[in-house]
Amino acid sequence: MKKIILVILVILTFGFIYQGKTITIKGSDTIVILAQRWAEIFMKENPDIKVQVTGGGSGTGIAALINGTTDICNSSRPIKQSEIEKLKAKYNSNGIEIKIAIDGLSVYTNNANKKVNELTLEQVRKIYTGEITNWKEVGGDNAKIILYGRENNSGTYVYFKEHVLENKDFSPAMQSMPGTAAVINAIAKDKNAIGFGGAAYAKGVKDIAIKKDKNSKAYLPLKKYILTGEYPISRFLYMYTVKKPEGNVKKFIDWALSNEGQKIVEEIGYFPIRKIK
Amino acid sequence: MNLLQKKFRPVEFIIEQLIKSVSFVSFAVIILIFLFVFREALPIFSQKEKTVPKEELQTGSYGEEPTIDLQNQTSNLDNQSKNKDEATIKNLLGNEWQPVGLEPKYGLRPLFLGSLKVTFIALIIGAPLAILAAIFSSLFAPKKIKEFIKPSIELLSSFPSVVIGFFALVTLATFLQNIFGYTFRLNAFVGGIAMAIAIIPIIYTITEDALNAVPKYYSEASLALGASKWQTALFVVVPAATPGIFAALLLGFGRAFGETMIVLMATGNAALNSLNIFDPVRTLSATIGAEMAEVVFGDVHYSVLFFIGSLLFIITFIINAIAEFYVRAKLMKRFRGE
């Protein structure tokens, strides 16, 4: 009997020690694959630190950060003023923003859409606000444009609305899909479709080259153009912490921003925040 | 000693009370869920005082600044003081659902319309199939066939709704578009058909129960009077079971109205204000399912989503309550001949 109690005690103590070294990361579903990959490799190199990654969405992650249930939160959108206010009220800190990677947003069409290969930002805006509804207005066949997009709370949606639509409302006819993979899937099956999402996802659909304006050159969402900023629709991916990172959290973030961590960013299909030496 | 008097047994008493309280737990859970959902929705009813726009708060930063300069990254949309972010009655009754923007619009009308559209399509397609199947298996089918049909339809109800939704999204949508040739691949019609798959088992099971509950002497008397088998079924047994069939329809309606995953995947989720069944729709439940994860907690948008949740809860609760209490009581009354 005594032995059993002793064993339980030992397990409990180890459990607590173990827990003390756990880093929890929560947030954006866009970043979750990357964070998990980071966690795996980081844990292999630092067996005494446990990193726990969960998704749920940027909003969920930031809420968890405010409630103190996560150490780091992933977000595919910049933190909002109302959220900073809450952080400040609770911790007297505005939070720390860490840019961890770059994500190029691509505009896709079906592979069968041979005529339309490039669009200007203005055309994309007009298509998504509902001013242009037929492919022939942008040089394609005479067919209705079927709009696909992301749910209105995804970081991708917000980014697109701000930076491509210039804060105009999306046409109500846009069909919102749960996740970029679902957007791709829908476009691959619909020959008159157009959609947007992470450049890393474009399999089985066609990327559209984007022009800043009528006179500039059109660029495909390729690494070289995204890193020079010539491709006009790309954004940062973020991590947030309450206070300046310390201890294991610092170790993890420093590692994620190191050359090694940034190489993994590329393997996943996003882009590093700086050129890797 | 009086042998008839019940001896007080403390252990038995405790166990009795325990069992009693367990049966109340589910009731308590329902009440609590409603209270908590409604509590989160409350802020939209109490207009908060407008806070004076504060100075812009900046987060600190960590790590080196990226060498790549992406143009115009700041979020101009959220950081401007939203002067019109209110969920007034007028806003809630509006025609547009654009909850993210400089002037968020929380019009619930297109969502409501969407839910009703999908639900009715599902009922129109699913209900006749389910009721006819129930009539067949309860009144006509030989025992062997019945033993095969009943479990297989009931097996359908154990299908996770994600699976049905996925099937609709990948296979059904393309198939139907090829037949009907409409513009939008995902629409209310596809969602409605997928939903019909989900509600057929419910309607079938309850209709079958109702038909079986009709006393044997009804049909025996009818057959003895010379009515044929289908005359008996159609003019005696089915009319006797109508309240039960009605209950089945209501429960099917409740399920379809609250179902989330199927509509989220198969209907295209565009909040259009149209009556065309081949247009994409966005339902109340799918809106919650899609937006809850990313919303700013405690925001107006968040409260509106919980308000939609309360609405769904109230609607399905009322419908299920009618089905359970009113209709069943009526059915029982009829058969007891009171």
Side-chain angles (χ1 to χ4, degrees), chain B residues 180-244:
Chain B
F180 293 97
Y182 42 69
T183 12
F184 296 102
R185 205 178 80 91
L186 299 174
N187 55 46
F189 184 64
V190 177
I193 287 183
M195 189 73 86
I197 299 173
I199 63 170
I200 280 175
I202 296 176
I203 300 179
Y204 169 83
T205 313
I206 298 168
T207 308
E208 229 235 347
D209 287 348
L211 290 171
N212 286 339
V214 175
K216 260 264 159 355
Y217 54 76
Y218 272 51
S219 48
E220 276 163 5
S222 164
L223 290 171
L225 286 170
S228 69
K229 218 173 170 186
W230 76 265
Q231 280 173 326
T232 307
L234 220 62
F235 298 114
V236 177
V237 183
V238 172
T242 14

Side-chain angles (χ1 to χ4, degrees), chain A residues 148 175 177 186, chain B residues 168-169 173 184-188 190 265-268 279-280:
Chain A
Y148 288 97
Q175 306 183 49
M177 310 302 285
Chain B
L169 174 71
F184 296 102
R185 205 178 80 91
L186 299 174
N187 55 46
V190 177
M265 296 174 88
T267 58
D279 275 346

Side-chain angles (χ1 to χ4, degrees), chain B residues 112-147:
Chain B
F112 219 85
L113 193 72
S115 279
L116 286 179
K117 233 157 74 171
V118 173
T119 307
F120 278 116
I121 293 167
L123 278 179
I124 286 167
I125 292 163
L129 280 177
I131 292 171
L132 290 176
I135 291 173
F136 174 70
S137 77
S138 156
L139 304 173
F140 292 99
K143 209 163 172 237
K144 269 196 177 156
I145 297 181
K146 185 181 171 177
E147 269 167 10

Side-chain angles (χ1 to χ4, degrees), chain B residues 105-180:
Chain B
K105 299 179 191 79
Y106 302 108
L108 298 184
R109 199 181 294 170
L111 307 182
F112 219 85
L113 193 72
S115 279
L116 286 179
K117 233 157 74 171
V118 173
T119 307
F120 278 116
I121 293 167
L123 278 179
I124 286 167
I125 292 163
L129 280 177
I131 292 171
L132 290 176
I135 291 173
F136 174 70
S137 77
S138 156
L139 304 173
F140 292 99
K143 209 163 172 237
K144 269 196 177 156
I145 297 181
K146 185 181 171 177
E147 269 167 10
F148 171 74
I149 293 180
K150 201 169 146 66
S152 50
I153 292 186
E154 279 165 0
L155 200 69
L156 208 59
S157 70
S158 62
F159 260 33
S161 51
V162 203
V163 175
I164 299 176
F166 187 73
F167 168 70
L169 174 71
V170 176
T171 315
L172 201 60
T174 314
F175 177 70
L176 289 172
Q177 195 182 26
N178 288 341
I179 293 179
F180 293 97

Side-chain angles (χ1 to χ4, degrees), chain A residues 56-58 60 81 86 94-95 97 151-153 161-163 167 169-170 174-176 234 254 273-274, chain B residues 57-58 60 62 64 68 72-73 75 77 79 98-100 105 184 268-270 282 290-291 293-294 297 301:
Chain A
S58 304
T60 314
Q81 281 296 302
K86 280 183 195 152
N94 285 356
E97 177 178 283
E151 278 301 338
N152 58 35
N153 286 301
K161 183 165 191 164
E162 284 169 359
H163 300 288
N167 284 327
D169 280 341
F170 277 102
M174 182 181 79
Q175 306 183 49
S176 336
S234 38
D254 285 345
I273 49 167
R274 63 187 141 78
Chain B
L57 295 171
Q58 281 288 332
Y62 180 79
E64 57 194 300
I68 301 114
N72 191 24
Q73 281 288 313
S75 179
L77 191 148
N79 294 348
Q98 294 274 3
V100 178
K105 299 179 191 79
F184 296 102
N269 292 323
R282 188 181 187 86
E291 297 176 16
E294 298 267 355
F297 283 57
H301 186 187

